[in-house]
Amino acid sequence: MSAAITVDGIGKRFKRYRHRPTSLKERVIRFRVASDQFWALRNVSVEIPEGQTLGLLGPNGSGKTTLLKIIAGILRPTEGTVTTNGRIAALLALGAGFHAELTGRENVYLNAAILGLSRSEIDRRFDDIVGFAELEDFIDSQVKFYSSGMYVRLGFAVAVHVDPAILLVDEVLAVGDIAFQRKCLDKVEAFQREGRTIVFVTHAPDLVHRVCDQAVMLEHGEVKAIGKPTDVVQEFRLSMSRKDLAYGWDRGTKEIEIVSAEIFGQEGETREWFAPGEEMTIQLDLKANTPVAGPVVVSFAIHDQSNMFSYGTNTDWRDVFFPERFEGKYRVQFVLKSVPFVEGRYYITLGVHSRDSTKVYHVQEQAYSFVMVRGEENPGLVYIPVECRAERL
Ligand SMILES: Nc1ncnc2c1ncn2[C@@H]1O[C@H](COP(=O)(O)OP(=O)(O)OP(=O)(O)O)[C@@H](O)[C@H]1O
Ligand SMILES: [Mg+2]
């Protein structure tokens, strides 16, 4: 099997500005802005065999997008080499490659032409692209009137219809609604069956487990882990539990935002560890950045270290309902009367979405974690608060 992509000793150095002028006056007075250089990527090597799928994990600012851009040939590396085989289609940033003043139709032609398709080839695929993006009614509007979800749909539709040998997808997919994400995933799986090579950035480890042959985790621009998805995801989780790293498992329209979240023990104290059977409160503070037409549902889910979904519930199921028009701020508390887990670290995902989940306002995927310590009894799979009685008959 030959390599579709060979990344060999890649390094990328950027200038970082210590002061960003905010006004024209400042810009003029401080015409020389202090800057230093730093490596956004260093010593990155990875080989992706033809037909394989690579998952790219890592915290915010670790260099994922920079690496994709270098593979795509949009950025030139400071050192090292990249070799690729076959046409590359890349979906890198929201609306990248789109011209705001042009219509959706014009942008499709422009983009597909840049990716190497002839006019007649584009003609033939045009309806499929628009159909996939579900933008029939908007294709002749200027894209500056598109929502972020519409941008992503059109961008992805073009990328997967130009017959690429290599598909590069940054996290932008998370912007689309859930139905469209599912459709993209189906397309990714179809591409895998067709033997195309895929590299994608994600913050969802279960996706890496499910679809990737290989995974790489970047941290501060260096390869922290590389190899089997299971091993890399485990390393990722370990790092994630360290507080000094910000993980951007963050998606949604932010019309309603999770401003903060905390985990409390029974006395209202902030806690990171619990013993089986203790009470735990998961508290979220929400803010509507714009009034939202409901019904709005707030949910949480708990996954264990091997990413098994362990438990989840939501406000609807707990009989807590918000007004039809959601506005202002809310504090939501889920009180787990008796935590049933045994030893290990557990991860909490928080979500605010519409009742049918087609609209995702804000999801923080596995952004919080807690540790279960061993209780007095022998742990099995779960802890059950058992009341024991005996009476003489
Ligand atoms: N053109 C640029 N000029 C200067 N610095 C840059 C440039 N592009 C990226 N950087 C910096 O390089 C580092 C890596 O950025 P990159 O966008 O690759 O990270 P990322 O892993 O994609 O992060 P995220 O998860 O937030 O998307 C960051 O510190 C970023 O600020
Ligand atoms: Mg990025």
Side-chain angles (χ1 to χ4, degrees):
M1 209 170 1
S2 61
I5 304 170
T6 309
V7 173
D8 189 14
I10 284 297
K12 179 70 190 175
R13 197 169 49 201
F14 283 126
K15 263 199 187 116
R16 175 164 27 208
Y17 297 98
R18 271 187 254 121
H19 173 85
R20 182 180 284 180
T22 49
S23 67
L24 182 65
K25 190 174 144 206
E26 243 188 314
R27 219 182 302 237
V28 175
I29 295 170
R30 298 175 186 261
F31 56 93
R32 273 183 53 205
V33 172
S35 74
D36 51 12
Q37 301 204 313
F38 77 103
W39 291 93
L41 285 176
R42 200 81 208 258
N43 297 327
V44 176
S45 295
V46 55
E47 192 172 286
I48 307 155
E50 225 165 75
Q52 291 220 339
T53 300
L54 177 86
L56 208 50
L57 289 161
N60 295 135
S62 57
K64 304 179 298 288
T65 300
T66 305
L67 182 57
L68 283 191
K69 283 182 178 163
I70 288 174
I71 294 174
I74 297 168
L75 270 182
R76 198 181 318 181
T78 311
E79 55 183 36
T81 55
V82 171
T83 323
T84 57
N85 256 315
R87 174 185 286 156
I88 301 182
L91 188 64
L92 292 183
L94 261 189
F98 283 165
H99 285 256
E101 300 297 326
L102 298 183
T103 64
R105 180 186 302 272
E106 290 161 339
N107 269 301
V108 168
Y109 274 87
L110 184 66
N111 267 272
I114 291 169
L115 288 164
L117 261 63
S118 69
R119 174 107 205 162
S120 64
E121 279 175 313
I122 307 171
D123 285 341
R124 237 181 303 126
R125 290 167 215 213
F126 186 80
D127 289 344
D128 286 344
I129 293 175
V130 178
F132 188 93
E134 297 166 28
L135 285 172
E136 290 89 345
D137 296 340
F138 301 94
I139 199 64
D140 289 308
S141 310
Q142 288 172 301
V143 300
K144 66 179 173 195
F145 299 120
Y146 281 16
S147 68
S148 52
M150 288 158 82
Y151 263 108
V152 168
R153 272 159 30 206
L154 193 60
F156 190 81
V158 173
V160 297
H161 283 90
V162 297
D163 194 24
I166 297 171
L167 178 68
L168 310 176
V169 187
D170 206 343
E171 241 185 314
V172 287
L173 280 187
V175 176
D177 63 32
I178 288 182
F180 189 73
Q181 283 177 30
R182 214 161 279 149
K183 199 157 128 183
C184 294
L185 209 58
D186 289 345
K187 196 73 197 173
V188 162
E189 281 164 357
F191 265 32
Q192 289 181 313
R193 286 191 299 274
E194 291 159 13
R196 302 177 204 255
T197 309
I198 304 167
V199 181
F200 72 92
V201 172
T202 176
H203 281 114
D206 50 330
L207 211 58
V208 175
H209 275 300
R210 225 167 80 207
V211 299
C212 294
D213 304 296
Q214 200 189 163
V216 166
M217 179 196 164
L218 292 177
E219 201 174 287
H220 302 304
E222 297 189 14
V223 175
K224 183 82 190 296
I226 181 167
K228 279 201 307 230
T230 347
D231 300 340
V232 176
V233 164
Q234 197 165 3
E235 180 64 37
F236 183 54
R237 287 190 186 296
L238 274 177
S239 295
M240 192 189 67
S241 57
R242 289 193 346 238
K243 287 242 156 129
D244 58 326
L245 293 173
Y247 280 82
W249 299 21
D250 206 286
R251 57 192 166 95
T253 63
K254 303 277 173 77
E255 288 163 277
I256 304 170
E257 205 171 325
I258 302 168
V259 183
S260 64
E262 271 185 292
I263 306 171
F264 298 121
Q266 192 160 11
E267 314 295 330
E269 76 285 13
T270 320
R271 277 273 284 279
E272 276 179 55
W273 61 270
F274 290 85
E278 281 194 300
E279 183 178 301
M280 172 195 289
T281 297
I282 301 172
Q283 175 177 300
L284 301 78
D285 280 353
L286 307 175
K287 186 176 118 226
N289 291 316
T290 171
V292 168
V296 169
V297 176
V298 179
S299 63
F300 77 89
I302 299 177
H303 287 78
D304 73 5
Q305 249 159 326
S306 56
N307 206 38
M308 276 276 281
F309 171 63
S310 307
Y311 181 75
T313 189
N314 65 40
T315 44
D316 258 13
W317 295 346
R318 299 291 114 201
D319 288 327
V320 170
F321 302 101
F322 298 99
E324 271 305 309
R325 187 180 152 90
F326 190 105
E327 52 189 340
K329 296 178 180 176
Y330 278 92
R331 171 164 289 174
V332 177
Q333 291 187 328
F334 293 101
V335 182
L336 286 64
K337 300 302 284 182
S338 166
V339 186
F341 307 122
V342 293
E343 282 180 285
R345 191 175 273 280
Y346 290 81
Y347 300 87
I348 301 178
T349 297
L350 302 174
V352 190
H353 45 86
S354 61
R355 182 166 290 154
D356 58 7
S357 286
T358 53
K359 284 203 187 114
V360 177
Y361 304 116
H362 196 177
V363 171
Q364 293 184 318
E365 281 192 53
Q366 310 196 9
Y368 308 90
S369 75
F370 60 91
V371 172
M372 293 304 298
V373 296
R374 186 190 263 266
E376 305 215 317
E377 300 163 47
N378 259 340
L381 263 184
V382 292
Y383 170 83
I384 303 175
V386 175
E387 233 176 65
C388 177
R389 293 191 198 102
E391 62 183 314
R392 185 167 175 173
L393 302 174

